[in-house]
Amino acid sequence: MKKQATLEVAIEKKSFVGIKTGRKPNPESNRQKRLAELNAKIEAGVTIQRGRPVSSDSERQKRIAELETKRASGELKLGRRVNESSARQLRLKELEARRANGELKRGRPAKSKVETNDVNLIDMLKDMEAK
């Protein structure tokens, strides 16, 4: 009753001049009766079952339960399985082994240094100053 009173007040305050609001629902229709019963049950606190009931004996429910137990134990892994004998996996193992031995350093390799005659030039300058 309170909801209807507030709705009527809200409708009276708004002005729908020139706007078609559609036809009014028939309160005697089966759908309106069913909706009224549902609203009454909700207000009374009755739990309403929605959707199709779940059969715990079905194959799908068994599979879901099995997957949950595997997920909890850590047996179930997401994604695609890794082929250990693939070229990429072999290369990654080799790189990991080289990193562990300290043979491989991170990042881009440094440019190879070409020996210059800078040291000789410095020595020559020192020798000239000494003379």
Side-chain angles (χ1 to χ4, degrees), residues 60-122:
R60 183 173 189 278
Q61 291 302 318
K62 289 176 187 175
R63 189 174 69 247
I64 289 172
E66 181 184 342
L67 287 174
E68 285 299 320
T69 56
K70 283 185 178 181
R71 200 171 279 130
S73 67
E75 293 176 38
L76 185 69
K77 295 181 181 177
L78 297 177
R80 200 169 148 185
R81 291 185 301 261
V82 177
N83 183 4
E84 296 296 330
S85 62
S86 70
R88 175 177 168 72
Q89 291 302 317
L90 293 173
R91 188 175 68 244
L92 289 174
K93 282 182 187 175
E94 180 185 333
L95 288 173
E96 191 62 35
R98 288 175 61 191
R99 276 192 194 100
N101 292 338
E103 298 171 11
L104 186 69
K105 296 182 180 176
R106 292 180 59 197
R108 189 172 177 171
K111 185 176 180 182
S112 61
K113 295 182 181 178
V114 178
E115 272 194 41
T116 59
N117 294 333
D118 292 340
V119 177
N120 295 337
L121 227 140
I122 294 171

Side-chain angles (χ1 to χ4, degrees), residues 14-74:
K14 289 189 177 181
S15 173
F16 293 112
V17 177
I19 299 173
K20 291 185 178 181
T21 58
R23 67 182 176 97
K24 295 179 181 174
N26 181 8
E28 299 302 318
S29 69
N30 288 337
R31 184 173 189 277
Q32 292 302 319
K33 288 177 185 176
R34 189 178 71 243
L35 290 174
E37 287 175 12
L38 282 173
N39 287 335
K41 286 181 181 179
I42 290 171
E43 288 176 4
V46 177
T47 57
I48 299 170
Q49 183 179 0
R50 294 182 180 181
R52 185 175 173 198
V54 176
S55 172
S56 58
D57 296 344
S58 70
E59 291 295 321
R60 183 173 189 278
Q61 291 302 318
K62 289 176 187 175
R63 189 174 69 247
I64 289 172
E66 181 184 342
L67 287 174
E68 285 299 320
T69 56
K70 283 185 178 181
R71 200 171 279 130
S73 67

